[in-house]
Amino acid sequence: QVQLVESGGGVVQPGRSLRLSCEASGFTISSHHMHWLRQSPGKGLEWVAVISFDGTNRYYTDSVKGRFTISRDNSKNTLSLQMDSLRAEDTAVYYCAKEITNHYFDNWGQGTLVTVSS
Amino acid sequence: EIVLTQSPATLSLSPGDGATLSCRASQSISTYLAWYQQKPGQAPRLLIYGASNRATGIPARFTGSGSGTDFTLTINSLEPEDFAVYYCQQRASWPLTFGGGTKVEIK
């Protein structure tokens, strides 16, 4: 069955970097646009970034533009999020998600917690 | 950015009751809306997309309706497993945005 497993979360100081990975199984990511979303503790959901199925197009929410980079390795069936210049407000559970169609998310990972704190 | 406003914030109901959840968009989004259910410690689960299409495996007691700026998620006869937080999400324009959620709790 479809499974997404995130890794790479942890505690990091403000201004530092972290790289999240999402390993997919049960389907081929090369056929799908893939996304990162996040949820701050006790708060609602926020979409972060998307990468097209072939990696040619990427969009980001304004608050992470220039700091985060989404990428994919279709040969390894893996999605990544490079997060630089981290801020306290980036603290959240980060989810990778697959589109069912047209930017709706039918499969999510279990999430990985990123805590930005000194 | 399109803002989605969900109401009420909390709905206190009993198993067997019906639930009506609202999501209002700050501008017209046609039928480009989805609904998700989230339980504590879990990732969201897609219930409805395209305003009224049930996702695979979603029971028929979940119904989505609406277009333009006003949308509704109706849950007929709440089951114990339906008590959760529900979010709406729009895909009409970037950035994709979510509503603040409605918590359906046991009365």
Side-chain angles (χ1 to χ4, degrees):
Chain A
Q1 75 279 19
V2 172
Q3 193 170 9
L4 295 164
V5 179
E6 302 96 339
S7 60
V11 180
V12 61
Q13 293 179 328
R16 303 298 292 267
S17 298
L18 207 59
R19 186 177 182 88
L20 305 183
S21 295
C22 172
E23 188 171 337
S25 59
F27 75 104
T28 304
I29 69 166
S30 60
S31 300
H32 300 273
H33 303 326
M34 296 294 293
H35 299 252
W36 286 99
L37 303 99
R38 66 186 180 184
Q39 186 168 32
S40 301
K43 299 289 180 63
L45 294 160
E46 181 183 24
W47 171 80
V48 174
V50 59
I51 185 168
S52 60
F53 69 97
D54 58 0
T56 56
N57 290 298
R58 306 168 193 198
Y59 295 99
Y60 301 89
T61 193
D62 282 350
S63 62
V64 309
K65 278 180 187 173
R67 300 189 299 122
F68 289 12
T69 303
I70 188 171
S71 62
R72 62 193 298 154
D73 186 337
N74 287 344
S75 66
K76 295 182 179 178
N77 226 30
T78 299
L79 179 72
S80 297
L81 184 68
Q82 177 66 39
M83 304 186 294
D84 299 324
S85 303
L86 282 161
R87 306 168 180 167
E89 54 265 35
D90 295 319
T91 294
V93 174
Y94 284 74
Y95 297 99
C96 64
K98 163 188 163 295
E99 284 191 10
I100 179 175
T101 180
N102 294 330
H103 314 317
Y104 302 123
F105 315 111
D106 67 332
N107 289 99
W108 301 60
Q110 85 289 351
T112 187
L113 176 61
V114 173
T115 302
V116 184
S117 174
S118 54
Chain B
E1 172 174 320
I2 294 176
V3 176
L4 298 178
T5 303
Q6 292 188 241
S7 62
T10 304
L11 210 44
S12 298
L13 297 167
S14 301
D17 287 347
T20 302
L21 288 66
S22 174
C23 177
R24 176 163 289 176
S26 59
Q27 62 191 78
S28 178
I29 57 171
S30 184
T31 58
Y32 299 139
L33 188 98
W35 290 94
Y36 298 84
Q37 176 194 69
Q38 188 178 33
K39 297 179 181 178
Q42 296 184 17
R45 176 174 74 142
L46 178 66
L47 300 174
I48 302 286
Y49 64 96
S52 62
N53 302 292
R54 270 188 296 274
T56 301
I58 301 304
R61 65 180 180 272
F62 291 92
T63 303
S65 63
S67 66
T69 61
D70 291 301
F71 300 86
T72 301
L73 175 68
T74 302
I75 311 171
N76 289 323
S77 189
L78 283 161
E79 298 287 341
E81 62 267 27
D82 298 336
F83 291 91
V85 180
Y86 293 82
Y87 294 96
C88 55
Q89 174 239 327
Q90 66 81 23
R91 55 129 293 196
S93 69
W94 301 103
L96 308 179
T97 53
F98 289 82
T102 290
K103 182 179 182 180
V104 179
E105 65 176 23
I106 299 177
K107 187 174 182 181

